[in-house]
Amino acid sequence: MSSMTESVARLSRRQIAWRAAQDIENGWYVNLGIGLPTLAASYVPDGREIVFHSENGLLGVGTYPKPGEEDPDLINATKEYVTLAKGASVFKHSDSFTMIRGGHLDLALLGAFEVSLKGDLANWTTEDPNFPPGVGGAMDLAVGAKRIRVLMEHTTRKGEPKIRNSCKYPLTASSVVKRLYTDLAVIDVTEDGLLVVEMAEGLTREALQDVTEAPLTYAATVGVLKAPAVA
């Protein structure tokens, strides 16, 4: 981790999910990728109706069940227990991918190992023989959903940048990511490059660039990236 960011209060994984959930518009059909993105279903703003999709065959995924109320027949693509919202549907895997490939999803929230300056997405393998690859539905979602947004920590556990000039890991899809939510910033991928729209409180532009390989530009007014203490 860069010494320039050690004193900055980074968002937790749940806070990243909360922040991403605030930007989902009312009435959207949204796929939640495995891992961090699945947490977003718990933080839908009051008054918004959002229909969450899981590629294993669910439309209308609800929040996580309370302890002791788990249904072993209801799991998401991460193999976590979930609930069903009112009016939800359960269907076969092939129908789920027909929805994805048919362009019926307004948004997919995905995790990533790396994202490039141009919005290239690498999220299915690090080519580490100790960890088998897991494509899942990521390649279909990356090209089938109308919008792709990524949720991830800004750096690796070793402090290395995950936002790069070009991805060093095999790509899932090229030029598909439109917005990044990290523990340090919210960044849009534009035709002119990466545009920072929010930064963690107390973080300087120099410090953010220090942990980002790709060059950053900044919105005319950069907001403060903050989130409540969510559980």
Side-chain angles (χ1 to χ4, degrees):
M1 181 184 300
S2 169
S3 60
M4 300 176 72
T5 61
E6 286 181 354
S7 61
V8 175
R10 293 178 176 237
L11 267 59
S12 68
R13 288 171 60 83
R14 288 187 174 275
Q15 286 175 317
I16 296 172
W18 178 91
R19 177 62 190 85
Q22 307 314 297
D23 289 342
I24 304 175
E25 295 189 17
N26 187 52
W28 275 7
Y29 290 83
V30 180
N31 179 277
L32 301 176
I34 63 173
L36 198 164
T38 60
L39 299 173
S42 298
Y43 304 117
V44 175
D46 292 339
R48 282 186 216 175
E49 183 178 6
I50 297 167
V51 182
F52 289 111
H53 170 273
S54 185
E55 63 260 35
N56 59 319
L58 302 176
L59 190 65
V61 178
T63 58
Y64 293 112
K66 296 179 181 179
E69 297 182 3
E70 298 89 349
D71 183 339
D73 290 326
L74 288 180
I75 60 171
N76 61 19
T78 311
K79 300 180 178 63
E80 300 170 315
Y81 292 119
V82 294
T83 60
L84 295 180
K86 184 177 180 180
S89 300
V90 180
F91 36 83
K92 60 187 178 181
H93 203 247
S94 58
D95 287 342
S96 183
F97 275 81
T98 297
M99 293 179 186
I100 296 170
R101 295 168 183 170
H104 301 291
L105 297 179
D106 296 290
L107 170 68
L109 295 179
L110 302 176
F113 297 128
E114 293 176 337
V115 174
S116 81
L117 172 65
K118 296 181 179 180
D120 299 335
L121 173 66
N123 75 344
W124 70 279
T125 182
T126 61
E127 299 187 307
D128 185 335
N130 296 314
F131 297 95
V135 176
M139 290 185 177
D140 294 271
L141 287 164
V143 298
K146 296 175 183 176
R147 302 166 185 84
I148 301 297
R149 297 174 183 170
V150 163
L151 288 67
M152 67 180 188
E153 281 88 2
H154 205 92
T155 60
T156 68
R157 293 179 181 177
K158 295 181 179 179
E160 298 173 349
K162 296 175 71 174
I163 303 175
R164 296 187 167 274
N165 290 315
S166 59
C167 297
K168 64 179 181 179
Y169 296 136
L171 295 187
T172 306
S174 60
S175 303
V176 294
V177 179
K178 300 305 179 186
R179 172 165 278 202
L180 291 161
Y181 299 94
T182 80
D183 49 351
L184 292 177
V186 177
I187 302 172
D188 284 340
V189 181
T190 75
E191 292 183 356
D192 298 321
L194 300 178
L195 182 70
V196 179
V197 295
E198 292 182 11
M199 290 170 49
E201 190 169 10
L203 181 65
T204 67
R205 295 185 180 188
E206 181 184 12
L208 183 61
Q209 186 63 76
D210 188 56
V211 292
T212 310
E213 182 182 83
L216 301 171
T217 59
Y218 297 84
T221 301
V222 178
V224 177
L225 174 60
K226 55 185 178 180
V230 295

